[in-house]
Amino acid sequence: MELSYKKQNIYAVASEKELAEIQAYSEGYKSFLNSSKTEREAVECGIALVKAHGFKEYQLGDKIKPGDKLYYNNRGKGLFILKAGKADLAKNGVRILVAHVDCPRLDLKQVPLYEKADMAFLKTHYYGGIKKYQWLTIPLALHGVVSLKDGRNVNICVGEEEGDPYFYITDLLPHLAQEQATKTIAEGFPAENLNILVGGIPAKDADKDAVKLGVLKILNEKYGIVEEDLLSAEIEAVPAAKANDIGFDRAFVGGYGHDDRVCTYPEITATIETETDQTVLTILADKEEIGSEGNTGMQSVLIRDILDEIAKNYGVNSAVMRANSKCLSADVTAGFDPDFASAFEEKNASFMNHGVSMNKFTGSRGKSGSNDASAEYVGYLRGVFQRDGVIWQTSELGRVDLGGGGTVAKFIASINIDTVDVGVPVLSMHAPYELISKADIWSAHKAFSAFIK
Ligand code: MN
Ligand code: MN
Protein backbone atom coordinates (compact mmCIF):
# COMPACT_ATOMS: atom_id res chain seq x y z
CA MET A 1 0.00 0.00 0.00
CA GLU A 2 1.33 3.44 -0.99
CA LEU A 3 0.94 5.77 1.98
CA SER A 4 2.02 8.95 0.18
CA TYR A 5 0.42 10.47 -2.92
CA LYS A 6 2.75 11.29 -5.78
CA LYS A 7 2.04 12.58 -9.28
CA GLN A 8 3.49 10.61 -12.19
CA ASN A 9 5.22 11.84 -15.32
CA ILE A 10 3.62 9.91 -18.17
CA TYR A 11 6.72 10.07 -20.36
CA ALA A 12 8.78 8.59 -17.51
CA VAL A 13 6.50 5.60 -16.91
CA ALA A 14 5.08 4.89 -20.41
CA SER A 15 6.13 1.72 -22.25
CA GLU A 16 7.79 1.92 -25.69
CA LYS A 17 4.43 1.00 -27.22
CA GLU A 18 2.66 3.75 -25.29
CA LEU A 19 5.31 6.30 -26.24
CA ALA A 20 4.68 5.46 -29.90
CA GLU A 21 0.90 5.68 -29.32
CA ILE A 22 1.32 9.14 -27.77
CA GLN A 23 3.23 10.42 -30.81
CA ALA A 24 0.77 8.85 -33.26
CA TYR A 25 -2.27 10.25 -31.45
CA SER A 26 -0.88 13.78 -31.68
CA GLU A 27 -0.74 13.60 -35.50
CA GLY A 28 -4.53 13.39 -35.74
CA TYR A 29 -4.84 16.21 -33.25
CA LYS A 30 -2.51 18.53 -35.14
CA SER A 31 -4.47 18.07 -38.33
CA PHE A 32 -7.75 18.71 -36.44
CA LEU A 33 -6.22 21.87 -35.00
CA ASN A 34 -5.05 23.14 -38.39
CA SER A 35 -8.44 22.71 -39.99
CA SER A 36 -10.43 24.06 -36.99
CA LYS A 37 -9.37 27.63 -36.40
CA THR A 38 -12.89 28.90 -35.72
CA GLU A 39 -15.88 27.46 -33.89
CA ARG A 40 -17.63 26.96 -37.24
CA GLU A 41 -14.67 25.07 -38.66
CA ALA A 42 -14.35 22.93 -35.52
CA VAL A 43 -18.01 21.95 -35.85
CA GLU A 44 -17.48 21.10 -39.55
CA CYS A 45 -14.45 18.97 -38.71
CA GLY A 46 -16.30 17.27 -35.86
CA ILE A 47 -19.17 16.42 -38.20
CA ALA A 48 -16.76 15.05 -40.82
CA LEU A 49 -15.09 12.85 -38.20
CA VAL A 50 -18.33 11.36 -36.80
CA LYS A 51 -19.95 11.00 -40.23
CA ALA A 52 -16.97 8.91 -41.33
CA HIS A 53 -17.91 6.57 -38.47
CA GLY A 54 -21.56 6.21 -39.38
CA PHE A 55 -23.17 9.00 -37.35
CA LYS A 56 -26.30 10.46 -38.97
CA GLU A 57 -27.73 13.97 -38.73
CA TYR A 58 -30.48 14.39 -36.13
CA GLN A 59 -33.17 17.07 -36.04
CA LEU A 60 -35.10 17.98 -32.91
CA GLY A 61 -38.20 15.80 -32.78
CA ASP A 62 -36.63 12.86 -34.68
CA LYS A 63 -36.98 9.37 -33.19
CA ILE A 64 -34.06 8.06 -31.13
CA LYS A 65 -33.56 4.36 -30.39
CA PRO A 66 -30.83 2.29 -28.72
CA GLY A 67 -27.92 1.76 -31.09
CA ASP A 68 -28.42 5.07 -32.92
CA LYS A 69 -25.36 7.17 -33.63
CA LEU A 70 -26.46 10.75 -34.24
CA TYR A 71 -25.23 14.32 -34.36
CA TYR A 72 -27.09 17.60 -34.01
CA ASN A 73 -25.61 20.66 -35.68
CA ASN A 74 -26.57 23.74 -33.65
CA ARG A 75 -26.44 26.64 -36.13
CA GLY A 76 -23.04 25.61 -37.41
CA LYS A 77 -21.40 26.72 -34.16
CA GLY A 78 -22.23 23.96 -31.70
CA LEU A 79 -22.38 20.19 -32.04
CA PHE A 80 -24.13 17.46 -30.04
CA ILE A 81 -22.92 13.90 -30.70
CA LEU A 82 -25.20 11.17 -29.39
CA LYS A 83 -24.48 7.48 -29.03
CA ALA A 84 -27.75 5.96 -27.85
CA GLY A 85 -26.93 2.97 -25.63
CA LYS A 86 -28.65 -0.18 -24.45
CA ALA A 87 -28.16 0.43 -20.71
CA ASP A 88 -31.13 1.45 -18.54
CA LEU A 89 -31.33 5.25 -18.84
CA ALA A 90 -33.42 5.73 -15.71
CA LYS A 91 -30.82 3.89 -13.64
CA ASN A 92 -27.57 4.89 -15.38
CA GLY A 93 -28.46 8.26 -16.87
CA VAL A 94 -26.42 9.75 -19.70
CA ARG A 95 -22.61 10.04 -19.76
CA ILE A 96 -22.00 13.61 -20.88
CA LEU A 97 -18.74 15.02 -22.20
CA VAL A 98 -18.56 18.77 -22.80
CA ALA A 99 -15.88 20.96 -24.34
CA HIS A 100 -15.98 24.30 -26.12
CA VAL A 101 -14.98 25.15 -29.68
CA ASP A 102 -14.73 28.95 -29.55
CA CYS A 103 -11.31 30.51 -28.91
CA PRO A 104 -10.03 33.97 -28.05
CA ARG A 105 -9.55 35.93 -31.27
CA LEU A 106 -10.12 39.29 -32.95
CA ASP A 107 -13.55 39.68 -34.53
CA LEU A 108 -14.04 42.26 -37.26
CA LYS A 109 -16.42 45.06 -36.38
CA GLN A 110 -19.56 45.33 -38.50
CA VAL A 111 -18.21 48.43 -40.29
CA PRO A 112 -14.53 47.50 -40.25
CA LEU A 113 -12.84 48.91 -43.35
CA TYR A 114 -11.16 52.33 -43.40
CA GLU A 115 -8.16 54.08 -44.89
CA LYS A 116 -5.48 56.10 -43.18
CA ALA A 117 -2.04 57.30 -44.38
CA ASP A 118 -2.63 55.56 -47.70
CA MET A 119 -3.13 52.19 -46.00
CA ALA A 120 -6.34 50.19 -45.57
CA PHE A 121 -7.20 48.63 -42.21
CA LEU A 122 -9.94 46.55 -40.60
CA LYS A 123 -11.21 47.50 -37.15
CA THR A 124 -11.61 44.68 -34.64
CA HIS A 125 -13.36 43.93 -31.37
CA TYR A 126 -11.54 41.26 -29.42
CA TYR A 127 -13.39 38.12 -28.32
CA GLY A 128 -12.51 36.50 -25.00
CA GLY A 129 -9.68 37.26 -22.62
CA ILE A 130 -6.53 38.25 -24.46
CA LYS A 131 -3.27 40.01 -23.69
CA LYS A 132 -3.58 42.50 -26.51
CA TYR A 133 0.14 43.01 -27.15
CA GLN A 134 0.49 39.33 -28.08
CA TRP A 135 -1.56 39.93 -31.23
CA LEU A 136 0.75 42.59 -32.67
CA THR A 137 3.34 41.77 -35.35
CA ILE A 138 2.27 38.16 -35.90
CA PRO A 139 0.96 36.67 -39.17
CA LEU A 140 -2.84 36.65 -39.08
CA ALA A 141 -5.41 34.84 -41.20
CA LEU A 142 -9.03 35.88 -41.75
CA HIS A 143 -11.74 33.22 -41.45
CA GLY A 144 -15.50 33.56 -41.47
CA VAL A 145 -18.74 34.03 -43.26
CA VAL A 146 -20.59 36.88 -44.90
CA SER A 147 -24.34 36.28 -44.77
CA LEU A 148 -26.16 37.86 -47.69
CA LYS A 149 -29.70 39.22 -47.75
CA ASP A 150 -30.86 36.31 -49.91
CA GLY A 151 -29.79 33.82 -47.22
CA ARG A 152 -26.58 32.66 -48.90
CA ASN A 153 -23.37 32.44 -46.90
CA VAL A 154 -20.08 33.41 -48.51
CA ASN A 155 -17.13 31.69 -46.84
CA ILE A 156 -13.90 33.58 -46.41
CA CYS A 157 -10.57 32.01 -45.51
CA VAL A 158 -7.34 33.82 -46.38
CA GLY A 159 -3.92 33.19 -44.89
CA GLU A 160 -3.93 29.40 -44.59
CA GLU A 161 -3.08 28.11 -48.07
CA GLU A 162 0.48 28.06 -49.39
CA GLY A 163 0.95 31.37 -51.23
CA ASP A 164 -1.90 33.20 -49.43
CA PRO A 165 -1.20 36.68 -48.05
CA TYR A 166 -1.22 37.22 -44.28
CA PHE A 167 -2.70 40.14 -42.36
CA TYR A 168 -0.89 42.15 -39.72
CA ILE A 169 -1.22 44.49 -36.74
CA THR A 170 1.68 46.89 -36.24
CA ASP A 171 3.61 47.81 -33.09
CA LEU A 172 5.81 50.79 -32.28
CA LEU A 173 9.55 50.45 -32.86
CA PRO A 174 11.62 50.28 -29.63
CA HIS A 175 13.54 53.39 -30.69
CA LEU A 176 10.37 55.46 -30.22
CA ALA A 177 8.80 53.44 -27.40
CA GLN A 178 10.05 55.37 -24.37
CA GLU A 179 6.54 56.58 -23.55
CA GLN A 180 4.91 53.25 -24.37
CA ALA A 181 7.44 51.44 -22.15
CA THR A 182 6.36 53.41 -19.05
CA LYS A 183 2.69 52.41 -19.43
CA THR A 184 1.07 49.32 -17.94
CA ILE A 185 0.28 46.49 -20.34
CA ALA A 186 -3.41 47.37 -20.02
CA GLU A 187 -2.81 51.04 -20.92
CA GLY A 188 -0.06 50.51 -23.47
CA PHE A 189 -2.10 48.52 -25.96
CA PRO A 190 -5.57 50.05 -26.40
CA ALA A 191 -8.15 47.78 -28.03
CA GLU A 192 -9.05 50.43 -30.59
CA ASN A 193 -5.49 50.19 -31.92
CA LEU A 194 -5.90 46.50 -32.82
CA ASN A 195 -6.44 47.43 -36.47
CA ILE A 196 -5.47 44.94 -39.15
CA LEU A 197 -3.48 46.10 -42.17
CA VAL A 198 -5.14 44.75 -45.32
CA GLY A 199 -4.03 46.89 -48.24
CA GLY A 200 -1.79 49.60 -49.69
CA ILE A 201 -2.38 49.90 -53.45
CA PRO A 202 -4.76 52.72 -54.47
CA ALA A 203 -7.47 52.02 -57.05
CA LYS A 204 -7.00 54.00 -60.27
CA ASP A 205 -9.35 56.95 -60.98
CA ALA A 206 -10.49 57.32 -57.35
CA ASP A 207 -10.17 60.76 -55.78
CA LYS A 208 -10.78 59.71 -52.17
CA ASP A 209 -10.05 56.58 -50.09
CA ALA A 210 -8.47 54.98 -53.12
CA VAL A 211 -6.67 52.23 -51.14
CA LYS A 212 -9.89 51.25 -49.38
CA LEU A 213 -11.60 51.18 -52.75
CA GLY A 214 -8.83 48.97 -54.09
CA VAL A 215 -9.49 46.45 -51.29
CA LEU A 216 -13.27 46.61 -51.89
CA LYS A 217 -12.68 45.89 -55.59
CA ILE A 218 -10.70 42.75 -54.70
CA LEU A 219 -13.39 41.60 -52.25
CA ASN A 220 -16.02 42.17 -54.93
CA GLU A 221 -14.09 40.26 -57.58
CA LYS A 222 -13.22 37.37 -55.28
CA TYR A 223 -16.45 37.02 -53.24
CA GLY A 224 -19.06 39.11 -55.05
CA ILE A 225 -19.63 41.24 -51.94
CA VAL A 226 -19.84 44.98 -51.29
CA GLU A 227 -18.98 46.94 -48.13
CA GLU A 228 -22.57 46.84 -46.84
CA ASP A 229 -22.51 43.02 -46.86
CA LEU A 230 -19.99 43.13 -44.00
CA LEU A 231 -22.84 44.35 -41.75
CA SER A 232 -23.95 40.73 -41.56
CA ALA A 233 -20.58 39.05 -41.46
CA GLU A 234 -18.70 37.11 -38.81
CA ILE A 235 -15.05 37.31 -39.76
CA GLU A 236 -12.39 36.34 -37.26
CA ALA A 237 -8.70 37.21 -37.34
CA VAL A 238 -6.76 34.22 -36.04
CA PRO A 239 -3.06 33.38 -36.00
CA ALA A 240 -1.96 32.03 -39.38
CA ALA A 241 0.63 29.72 -37.81
CA LYS A 242 0.14 25.96 -38.07
CA ALA A 243 0.32 23.53 -35.17
CA ASN A 244 3.74 21.96 -34.82
CA ASP A 245 5.84 19.76 -32.54
CA ILE A 246 7.85 21.68 -29.96
CA GLY A 247 11.20 20.56 -28.56
CA PHE A 248 14.05 18.29 -29.70
CA ASP A 249 12.18 15.29 -28.28
CA ARG A 250 8.79 16.43 -29.68
CA ALA A 251 7.15 16.17 -26.24
CA PHE A 252 4.87 19.15 -26.88
CA VAL A 253 2.59 20.65 -29.51
CA GLY A 254 2.40 24.39 -30.15
CA GLY A 255 -0.67 25.78 -31.83
CA TYR A 256 -3.55 28.21 -31.85
CA GLY A 257 -6.70 27.21 -30.00
CA HIS A 258 -5.58 24.38 -27.70
CA ASP A 259 -8.15 26.00 -25.39
CA ASP A 260 -10.34 24.07 -25.87
CA ARG A 261 -9.63 21.97 -28.96
CA VAL A 262 -7.21 19.89 -26.88
CA CYS A 263 -10.27 18.64 -24.99
CA THR A 264 -12.63 18.73 -27.99
CA TYR A 265 -10.53 16.33 -30.07
CA PRO A 266 -10.14 13.58 -27.43
CA GLU A 267 -13.86 13.84 -26.64
CA ILE A 268 -14.61 13.16 -30.31
CA THR A 269 -12.12 10.29 -30.59
CA ALA A 270 -13.26 8.72 -27.29
CA THR A 271 -16.91 8.98 -28.34
CA ILE A 272 -16.23 7.39 -31.72
CA GLU A 273 -13.90 4.63 -30.55
CA THR A 274 -15.18 3.50 -27.15
CA GLU A 275 -17.37 0.38 -27.09
CA THR A 276 -20.05 0.99 -24.47
CA ASP A 277 -23.62 0.19 -23.48
CA GLN A 278 -24.01 3.64 -21.93
CA THR A 279 -25.79 6.48 -23.68
CA VAL A 280 -23.13 9.07 -24.44
CA LEU A 281 -23.81 12.71 -25.25
CA THR A 282 -20.79 14.75 -26.30
CA ILE A 283 -21.35 18.48 -26.51
CA LEU A 284 -19.07 20.88 -28.33
CA ALA A 285 -20.27 24.31 -27.27
CA ASP A 286 -19.73 27.83 -28.51
CA LYS A 287 -19.39 31.13 -26.58
CA GLU A 288 -17.58 29.73 -23.53
CA GLU A 289 -14.97 32.46 -23.75
CA ILE A 290 -17.64 35.15 -23.35
CA GLY A 291 -19.73 33.52 -20.63
CA SER A 292 -21.55 30.71 -22.48
CA GLU A 293 -24.28 33.13 -23.49
CA GLY A 294 -26.65 32.90 -26.44
CA ASN A 295 -28.33 29.98 -28.14
CA THR A 296 -25.03 28.31 -29.05
CA GLY A 297 -23.58 28.60 -25.53
CA MET A 298 -24.01 26.16 -22.64
CA GLN A 299 -26.49 28.40 -20.84
CA SER A 300 -29.01 27.69 -23.59
CA VAL A 301 -31.92 25.36 -22.75
CA LEU A 302 -30.94 23.27 -25.78
CA ILE A 303 -29.06 20.75 -23.60
CA ARG A 304 -32.24 20.20 -21.59
CA ASP A 305 -34.34 19.93 -24.72
CA ILE A 306 -32.04 17.25 -26.13
CA LEU A 307 -31.92 15.35 -22.83
CA ASP A 308 -35.74 15.56 -22.66
CA GLU A 309 -35.96 14.16 -26.20
CA ILE A 310 -33.66 11.27 -25.28
CA ALA A 311 -35.70 10.49 -22.14
CA LYS A 312 -39.00 10.70 -24.04
CA ASN A 313 -37.78 8.30 -26.73
CA TYR A 314 -36.57 5.80 -24.11
CA GLY A 315 -39.81 6.18 -22.16
CA VAL A 316 -38.07 7.28 -18.98
CA ASN A 317 -38.63 10.24 -16.68
CA SER A 318 -36.23 13.02 -17.72
CA ALA A 319 -35.72 14.28 -14.15
CA VAL A 320 -34.80 10.79 -12.95
CA MET A 321 -32.49 10.30 -15.93
CA ARG A 322 -30.72 13.61 -15.29
CA ALA A 323 -30.32 12.89 -11.58
CA ASN A 324 -28.40 9.74 -12.51
CA SER A 325 -26.40 11.29 -15.33
CA LYS A 326 -22.75 12.20 -15.01
CA CYS A 327 -20.65 14.79 -16.77
CA LEU A 328 -17.02 15.59 -17.41
CA SER A 329 -16.77 19.25 -18.31
CA ALA A 330 -13.54 19.23 -20.26
CA ASP A 331 -11.74 22.52 -20.41
CA VAL A 332 -8.08 23.35 -20.23
CA THR A 333 -6.32 24.37 -17.05
CA ALA A 334 -3.12 26.29 -16.42
CA GLY A 335 0.06 24.25 -16.65
CA PHE A 336 2.73 25.05 -14.06
CA ASP A 337 5.25 27.42 -15.64
CA PRO A 338 8.61 27.59 -13.78
CA ASP A 339 9.22 31.07 -15.19
CA PHE A 340 6.05 32.28 -13.50
CA ALA A 341 6.21 29.96 -10.49
CA SER A 342 4.80 32.54 -8.07
CA ALA A 343 1.45 32.42 -9.89
CA PHE A 344 1.00 28.84 -8.68
CA GLU A 345 0.90 26.86 -5.47
CA GLU A 346 2.99 23.86 -6.42
CA LYS A 347 1.18 21.14 -4.48
CA ASN A 348 -2.03 22.02 -6.29
CA ALA A 349 -0.74 22.93 -9.74
CA SER A 350 -0.96 20.96 -12.99
CA PHE A 351 2.40 19.77 -14.22
CA MET A 352 3.04 19.29 -17.91
CA ASN A 353 3.25 15.61 -18.94
CA HIS A 354 1.57 14.48 -15.70
CA GLY A 355 -1.75 13.77 -17.37
CA VAL A 356 -5.19 15.23 -17.75
CA SER A 357 -6.02 17.39 -14.74
CA MET A 358 -9.13 17.50 -12.59
CA ASN A 359 -10.20 20.83 -11.11
CA LYS A 360 -12.66 19.95 -8.35
CA PHE A 361 -13.52 23.62 -8.35
CA THR A 362 -12.67 26.73 -10.36
CA GLY A 363 -13.86 30.30 -9.73
CA SER A 364 -12.14 33.13 -7.92
CA ARG A 365 -12.08 34.89 -4.53
CA GLY A 366 -13.13 31.95 -2.38
CA LYS A 367 -14.32 29.60 -5.16
CA SER A 368 -16.92 32.17 -6.20
CA GLY A 369 -18.71 31.31 -9.44
CA SER A 370 -17.54 27.72 -9.31
CA ASN A 371 -19.16 24.35 -9.61
CA ASP A 372 -17.46 22.67 -6.66
CA ALA A 373 -17.86 18.97 -7.43
CA SER A 374 -18.72 16.67 -4.53
CA ALA A 375 -16.13 14.44 -2.86
CA GLU A 376 -18.35 11.47 -3.72
CA TYR A 377 -18.23 12.22 -7.44
CA VAL A 378 -14.46 12.78 -7.39
CA GLY A 379 -14.10 9.48 -5.51
CA TYR A 380 -16.21 7.70 -8.12
CA LEU A 381 -14.01 9.09 -10.93
CA ARG A 382 -10.81 8.03 -9.13
CA GLY A 383 -12.16 4.50 -9.32
CA VAL A 384 -13.08 4.85 -13.00
CA PHE A 385 -9.64 6.20 -13.94
CA GLN A 386 -7.78 3.61 -11.88
CA ARG A 387 -9.73 0.78 -13.51
CA ASP A 388 -8.43 1.87 -16.93
CA GLY A 389 -4.93 2.86 -15.86
CA VAL A 390 -5.39 6.56 -16.60
CA ILE A 391 -2.58 8.73 -15.29
CA TRP A 392 -4.17 11.97 -14.15
CA GLN A 393 -3.63 14.78 -11.64
CA THR A 394 -5.61 17.39 -9.76
CA SER A 395 -5.05 21.12 -9.61
CA GLU A 396 -6.56 24.50 -9.18
CA LEU A 397 -6.15 27.46 -11.48
CA GLY A 398 -3.23 29.24 -9.87
CA ARG A 399 -2.53 30.54 -6.39
CA VAL A 400 -5.50 31.52 -4.23
CA ASP A 401 -6.71 35.11 -4.80
CA LEU A 402 -4.41 35.73 -7.78
CA GLY A 403 -7.25 35.60 -10.26
CA GLY A 404 -9.26 32.63 -11.42
CA GLY A 405 -11.71 31.66 -14.09
CA GLY A 406 -14.92 29.82 -14.78
CA THR A 407 -16.03 27.04 -17.09
CA VAL A 408 -19.30 25.60 -18.35
CA ALA A 409 -19.35 22.98 -15.54
CA LYS A 410 -21.76 25.00 -13.38
CA PHE A 411 -24.36 25.23 -16.15
CA ILE A 412 -24.56 21.45 -16.48
CA ALA A 413 -24.49 20.94 -12.73
CA SER A 414 -27.38 23.40 -12.44
CA ILE A 415 -29.69 20.94 -14.22
CA ASN A 416 -28.96 18.38 -11.50
CA ILE A 417 -26.11 16.45 -13.10
CA ASP A 418 -22.90 15.49 -11.26
CA THR A 419 -20.19 17.45 -13.07
CA VAL A 420 -16.50 18.10 -12.61
CA ASP A 421 -13.85 19.92 -14.64
CA VAL A 422 -11.26 17.67 -16.23
CA GLY A 423 -8.93 19.11 -18.85
CA VAL A 424 -5.50 19.29 -20.36
CA PRO A 425 -2.90 21.66 -18.86
CA VAL A 426 -1.83 24.48 -21.20
CA LEU A 427 1.16 26.80 -21.10
CA SER A 428 0.63 30.38 -22.35
CA MET A 429 -3.15 29.89 -22.33
CA HIS A 430 -5.07 32.37 -24.54
CA ALA A 431 -1.87 33.40 -26.33
CA PRO A 432 -1.97 33.25 -30.14
CA TYR A 433 0.31 30.20 -29.97
CA GLU A 434 -0.35 27.98 -26.93
CA LEU A 435 1.47 24.87 -25.78
CA ILE A 436 0.30 21.43 -24.62
CA SER A 437 1.90 18.06 -23.93
CA LYS A 438 1.24 15.14 -26.26
CA ALA A 439 1.20 12.83 -23.24
CA ASP A 440 -1.52 14.92 -21.60
CA ILE A 441 -3.90 14.93 -24.58
CA TRP A 442 -3.38 11.17 -24.93
CA SER A 443 -4.24 10.83 -21.23
CA ALA A 444 -7.38 12.93 -21.83
CA HIS A 445 -8.51 10.52 -24.54
CA LYS A 446 -7.99 7.60 -22.13
CA ALA A 447 -9.82 9.38 -19.30
CA PHE A 448 -12.84 10.27 -21.46
CA SER A 449 -12.95 6.75 -22.83
CA ALA A 450 -12.86 5.24 -19.32
CA PHE A 451 -15.66 7.59 -18.24
CA ILE A 452 -18.11 6.61 -20.98
CA LYS A 453 -17.47 2.85 -20.79
MN1 MN B 1 -11.54 27.00 -22.16
MN1 MN C 1 -10.36 30.03 -22.37
Side-chain angles (χ1 to χ4, degrees):
M1 191 203 297
E2 198 68 66
L3 284 179
S4 302
Y5 167 68
K6 215 170 114 241
K7 290 186 184 186
Q8 281 181 301
N9 181 331
I10 295 178
Y11 284 128
V13 298
S15 66
E16 285 302 320
K17 183 171 161 279
E18 286 171 328
L19 288 171
E21 247 179 69
I22 289 169
Q23 290 295 332
Y25 186 78
S26 75
E27 294 303 316
Y29 174 55
K30 281 183 281 180
S31 94
F32 177 76
L33 212 50
N34 286 336
S35 39
S36 304
K37 288 207 175 167
T38 67
E39 69 287 10
R40 289 175 190 266
E41 291 170 358
V43 165
E44 268 176 48
C45 282
I47 290 174
L49 285 170
V50 297
K51 265 176 100 169
H53 289 83
F55 285 71
K56 300 270 183 294
E57 183 157 20
Y58 164 84
Q59 303 290 350
L60 285 172
D62 285 356
K63 289 268 170 290
I64 302 168
K65 59 179 189 319
D68 280 352
K69 300 200 292 182
L70 305 168
Y71 69 86
Y72 179 71
N73 177 349
N74 182 15
R75 299 170 169 87
K77 299 180 182 190
L79 184 63
F80 290 69
I81 307 167
L82 175 67
K83 243 170 136 170
K86 290 198 274 289
D88 180 357
L89 267 189
K91 195 165 137 255
N92 289 12
V94 178
R95 294 288 177 279
I96 302 170
L97 293 169
V98 187
H100 68 90
V101 288
D102 61 317
C103 302
R105 62 189 189 237
L106 304 177
D107 285 341
L108 296 197
K109 293 193 183 193
Q110 293 335 110
V111 183
L113 185 62
Y114 70 97
E115 173 173 341
K116 206 140 201 191
D118 287 345
M119 292 184 280
F121 297 90
L122 293 169
K123 291 210 70 73
T124 65
H125 192 138
Y126 66 99
Y127 174 98
I130 61 167
K131 291 164 103 173
K132 297 178 191 87
Y133 68 87
Q134 293 180 332
W135 293 74
L136 311 183
T137 71
I138 61 167
L140 294 170
L142 291 174
H143 293 231
V145 297
V146 182
S147 290
L148 303 180
K149 281 182 282 190
D150 64 9
R152 277 183 306 130
N153 261 9
V154 178
N155 283 307
I156 289 181
C157 182
V158 184
E160 297 293 342
E161 295 295 322
E162 188 71 35
D164 269 5
Y166 293 147
F167 304 94
Y168 188 80
I169 300 172
T170 60
D171 193 7
L172 189 61
L173 60 167
H175 317 63
L176 300 180
Q178 281 185 40
E179 281 173 15
Q180 186 191 45
T182 63
K183 293 181 181 166
T184 63
I185 289 175
E187 291 165 343
F189 303 93
E192 289 293 355
N193 284 8
L194 294 176
N195 301 315
I196 302 172
L197 180 62
V198 293
I201 301 178
K204 298 270 184 281
D205 328 312
D207 43 2
K208 202 174 150 275
D209 282 350
V211 177
K212 175 185 163 182
L213 209 64
V215 169
L216 282 172
K217 276 187 173 169
I218 292 168
L219 292 178
N220 188 258
E221 279 160 24
K222 208 169 163 195
Y223 304 106
I225 59 172
V226 296
E227 188 176 13
E228 192 193 322
D229 291 324
L230 297 176
L231 297 179
S232 50
E234 287 178 349
I235 300 175
E236 308 175 6
V238 298
K242 301 269 189 265
N244 204 58
D245 292 351
I246 300 283
F248 286 117
D249 58 7
R250 300 176 181 271
F252 306 100
V253 176
Y256 166 66
H258 286 314
D259 176 6
D260 189 27
R261 311 254 149 79
V262 73
C263 297
T264 301
Y265 183 72
E267 284 193 353
I268 296 172
T269 57
T271 306
I272 288 172
E273 291 167 20
T274 309
E275 297 285 337
T276 179
D277 286 339
Q278 304 293 340
T279 291
V280 180
L281 181 65
T282 297
I283 307 172
L284 309 181
D286 181 31
K287 298 280 188 283
E288 192 279 340
E289 297 293 357
I290 57 167
S292 299
E293 312 285 350
N295 57 10
T296 54
M298 278 309 292
Q299 294 203 61
S300 161
V301 297
L302 180 58
I303 178 176
R304 269 202 71 166
D305 288 344
I306 286 181
L307 289 170
D308 286 349
E309 287 296 309
I310 295 170
K312 195 176 78 191
N313 277 277
Y314 274 74
V316 302
N317 180 316
S318 189
V320 174
M321 182 189 82
R322 271 189 283 120
N324 293 316
S325 294
K326 294 179 172 61
C327 173
L328 292 185
S329 169
D331 203 347
V332 296
T333 189
F336 176 81
D337 186 335
D339 277 331
F340 299 95
S342 68
F344 299 87
E345 181 272 290
E346 289 192 33
K347 291 203 79 60
N348 292 282
S350 286
F351 285 81
M352 301 303 282
N353 311 324
H354 286 63
V356 69
S357 190
M358 184 187 296
N359 288 15
K360 183 175 176 296
F361 54 86
T362 58
S364 52
R365 300 173 309 280
K367 303 190 181 182
S368 183
S370 159
N371 160 60
D372 193 354
S374 72
E376 289 84 350
Y377 187 45
V378 174
Y380 162 81
L381 289 170
R382 283 177 57 207
V384 167
F385 294 158
Q386 186 187 36
R387 195 184 60 210
D388 272 28
V390 178
I391 295 178
W392 64 286
Q393 54 184 326
T394 67
S395 67
E396 52 183 287
L397 192 74
R399 146 164 89 74
V400 181
D401 274 353
L402 183 62
T407 67
V408 302
K410 61 180 175 180
F411 305 122
I412 303 137
S414 74
I415 56 170
N416 195 27
I417 294 173
D418 275 324
T419 306
V420 70
D421 285 289
V422 175
V424 173
V426 173
L427 293 182
S428 315
M429 194 195 294
H430 283 205
Y433 208 71
E434 304 172 316
L435 192 116
I436 59 102
S437 150
K438 290 180 182 177
D440 294 340
I441 185 177
W442 176 78
S443 141
H445 168 87
K446 288 190 68 165
F448 301 158
S449 182
F451 172 72
I452 61 179
K453 258 184 196 163

